C-alpha cells in the first residue's frame, strides 16, 4: 500500500495563506500606485503640476517597462529564477522607486541643488522627444521630473510583482480553485485603491497644514510592510519546493526559443489585446476619477468644526468600508442560511452607511473609494463559476459592455446632475460600483485562461508579454487624458472646473474595441478549441 505525501498546497488553509501574503503585498503596491490621484488639485496648488505635468508623471510608471522592455526581461527572470527570488526583487525595486518619488515631492527637494539640476536638464530627450513619447518635457516642474524617475522604477517593480503573483497563484492553485484565487487576490489588492482614496487626502491635510509629501510617505511605509510579506512568502515557497522536488528554476529550464510558442498563438494575442484595451480604460481613469467627480458634482464646504470634517470620521468610514468588504466576501462561503443572509443584510446596511458618510463629507475621493466594494462581493461568485462552469470569454464580453455603459454615463449623464447634490451623488455611486464590478470580471476570467494557452514552464514569460502590451496602454492613456484635458479646457485654471467629456468618450471607445475583440475571441475559441469556455476544475 502506497501513500502520497501531502504538501503545503494540499492544505486549503496554507495555500490561502500564501495567497494572502501575495495579495497583501499587491494591496500595498496598489495604494502607492494611485497615491497622488485623490490630491491632483493639491499637486497643482502646492507643486505647480498642471494636467500635462500630472499626466506625464503618472504615465511614466510604465515607461521603462514599455520602451526599455523591462517587463520582457522580468518574465525571463521569473521563468529562470523562480517565484520567490523574483518576488523579493520586485519588492526591493518598488521600495527604492517609492523613496525617490517621496523625496521629489518632499519639502527637502525644494531649493536643493538637485532641483536646480532637474530644472535645467532632461528637457530634451533625443529620439523619444521626436517620437513624442518622452517622459519629460521643457517646462515640466523639477519635482515632477524626479518623481517620474522614481515612479518609473516603482513601475518596474510593481509590474514584475504582478506577473510574479500570477505565476505564484498558478503554482499553488493549478487544478484547484484558481479563478477564485486570482479574483480574490485582485479584489483584496483593489481595496488598496479605496484605501488610497480615503487616506491620501487624510494625510495630506492632517493637522490643518497641507503637505502632499505625507501622503507619499504613507505609501512608502506600506511598501516596507509589503517587503516583509514577500520575505515570509519566500520561506513558504521554498518549503513547498522542498516537499514537491519541483525546483522550477532548475528542471526543464526556460529557453529564449520557447517564446515562439507564445508569439504564434492567436488566442494569446487576442487575450493580450483584450487586456490592454480593458485595463487602459480603467487604470488611467482611476488617476483622474477624483478630479472628474470634483468637476461634475456640486460640493459644499463642510464647516471645519463639524464632525464630518474631523479626522476621526475618516477612520470610522474606513472601518465601515472594511466591514462591507469582509461581509460581502464571507456571504459566498457561509452554509447556514439564516446567518448567511444576516451577513448579507449587514453588508448592505454598511454599504449604505458608507455612502451616506461619503455624501455628508462632501468628498469626491470618499465617493470614488466605493470602486472595489461590489467587486469584493461578486468576485467569489465569478471565480467559482469560471472554476466549475467555465464561460471565461463570455464574461469578458459582459465586462466590456458594462465598461462602455459606465464611461458614457460619466461623460453625458453625470454632468446633467451638476447642481443636484443628492441625484448627482447617487448616479456617481451606482456607476462607480458597476464599473468596479465589471473590473472584477477580468481577473476571474482572463488571467486563469493564460495557463490554457501556453506551456507551464513559460507562464511567467506569457504573463510578462501580456503585461508589457498592457503597459503600453497604461503609459499612453494617462498622458493622453492629460493632453486632451488641456486641449479641451483652454483658459481654465481652476482644477475643479475642467470638462471631462472628451477623455471619457475616448475611454468608452476602448470599451467598444474590447467588446469586438471579446466576440472574436469567442469565435476563435470555438474554432481552435482553446478551452477558454471550459471550467478550470474538471
Amino acid at each position: 500500500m502506497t501513500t502520497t505525501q501531502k504538501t503545503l498546497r494540499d492544505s486549503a488553509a496554507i495555500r490561502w495563506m500564501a495567497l494572502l501574503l501575495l495579495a497583501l503585498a499587491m494591496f500595498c503596491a496598489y495604494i502607492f500606485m494611485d497615491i497622488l490621484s485623490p490630491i491632483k488639485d493639491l499637486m497643482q496648488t502646492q507643486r505647480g503640476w498642471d494636467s500635462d505635468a500630472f499626466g506625464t508623471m503618472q504615465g511614466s510608471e510604465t515607461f521603462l517597462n514599455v520602451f526599455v522592455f523591462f517587463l520582457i526581461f522580468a518574465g525571463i527572470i521569473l521563468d529562470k529564477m523562480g517565484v520567490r527570488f523574483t518576488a523579493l526583487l520586485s519588492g526591493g525595486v518598488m521600495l527604492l522607486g517609492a523613496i525617490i518619488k517621496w523625496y521629489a515631492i518632499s519639502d527637502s527637494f525644494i531649493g536643493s541643488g538637485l532641483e536646480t539640476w532637474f530644472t535645467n536638464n532632461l528637457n530634451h530627450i533625443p529620439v523619444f522627444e521626436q517620437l513624442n513619447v518622452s517622459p519629460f518635457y521643457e517646462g515640466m516642474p523639477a519635482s515632477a521630473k524626479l518623481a517620474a524617475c522614481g515612479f518609473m522604477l516603482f513601475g518596474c517593480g510593481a509590474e514584475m510583482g504582478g506577473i510574479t503573483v500570477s505565476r505564484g497563484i498558478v503554482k499553488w492553485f493549478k487544478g484547484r480553485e484558481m479563478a477564485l484565487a486570482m479574483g480574490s487576490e485582485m479584489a483584496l489588492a483593489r481595496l488598496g485603491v479605496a484605501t488610497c482614496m480615503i487616506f491620501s487626502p487624510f494625510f495630506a491635510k492632517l493637522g490643518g497644514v497641507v503637505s502632499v509629501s505625507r501622503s507619499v510617505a504613507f505609501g512608502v511605509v506600506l511598501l516596507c510592510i509589503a517587503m516583509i510579506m514577500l520575505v515570509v512568502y519566500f520561506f513558504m515557497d521554498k518549503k513547498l519546493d522542498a516537499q514537491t522536488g519541483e525546483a522550477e528554476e532548475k528542471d526543464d529550464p526556460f529557453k529564449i526559443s520557447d517564446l515562439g510558442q507564445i508569439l504564434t498563438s492567436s488566442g494569446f494575442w487576442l487575450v493580450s489585446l483584450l487586456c490592454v484595451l480593458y485595463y487602459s480604460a480603467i487604470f488611467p481613469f482611476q488617476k483622474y476619477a477624483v478630479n472628474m467627480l470634483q468637476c461634475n458634482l456640486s460640493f459644499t464646504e463642510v464647516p471645519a468644526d463639524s464632525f464630518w470634517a474631523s479626522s476621526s470620521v475618516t477612520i470610522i468610514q474606513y472601518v465601515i468600508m472594511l466591514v462591507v468588504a469582509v461581509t460581502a466576501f464571507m456571504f459566498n462561503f457561509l452554509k447556514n442560511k439564516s446567518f448567511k443572509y444576516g451577513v448579507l443584510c449587514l453588508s448592505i446596511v454598511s454599504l449604505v452607511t458608507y455612502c451616506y458618510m461619503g455624501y455628508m463629507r462632501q468628498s469626491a475621493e470618499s465617493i470614488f473609494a466605493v470602486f472595489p466594494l461590489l467587486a469584493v462581493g461578486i468576485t467569489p461568485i465569478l471565480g467559482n463559476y469560471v472554476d466549475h462552469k467555465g464561460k471565461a470569454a463570455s464574461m469578458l464580453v459582459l465586462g466590456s459592455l458594462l465598461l462602455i455603459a459606465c464611461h458614457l454615463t460619466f461623460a453625458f449623464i453625470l454632468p446633467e446632475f451638476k447642481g443636484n447634490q443628492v441625484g448627482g451623488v447617487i448616479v456617481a455611486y451606482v456607476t462607480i460600483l458597476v464599473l468596479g464590478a465589471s473590473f472584477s470580471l477580468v481577473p476571474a476570467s482572463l488571467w486563469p485562461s493564460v495557463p490554457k494557452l501556453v506551456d507551464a514552464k513559460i507562464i511567467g514569460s506569457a504573463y510578462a508579454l501580456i503585461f508589457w502590451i498592457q503597459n503600453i496602454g497604461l503609459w499612453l492613456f494617462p498622458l493622453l487624458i492629460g493632453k486632451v484635458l488641456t486641449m479641451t479646457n483652454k483658459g481654465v485654471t481652476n482644477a475643479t472646473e475642467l470638462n471631462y467629456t472628451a477623455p471619457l468618450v475616448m475611454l468608452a471607445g476602448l470599451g467598444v474595441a474590447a467588446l469586438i475583440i471579446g466576440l472574436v475571441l469567442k469565435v476563435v475559441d470555438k474554432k481552435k478549441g482553446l478551452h477558454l469556455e471550459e471550467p478550470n476544475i474538471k
Side-chain angles (χ1 to χ4, degrees), residues 240-248 251:
L240 176 65
D241 276 0
Q243 289 179 333
T244 61
E246 288 175 357
E248 62 184 0
D251 293 345

Side-chain angles (χ1 to χ4, degrees), residues 10 18 93 169 182 185 193 205 231 244 306 373 408 419 484 523:
D10 291 321
V93 173
I169 292 173
M182 287 193 171
E185 181 271 324
V193 178
K205 300 171 184 176
V231 170
T244 61
S306 76
L373 294 187
L408 291 180
V484 170
V523 173

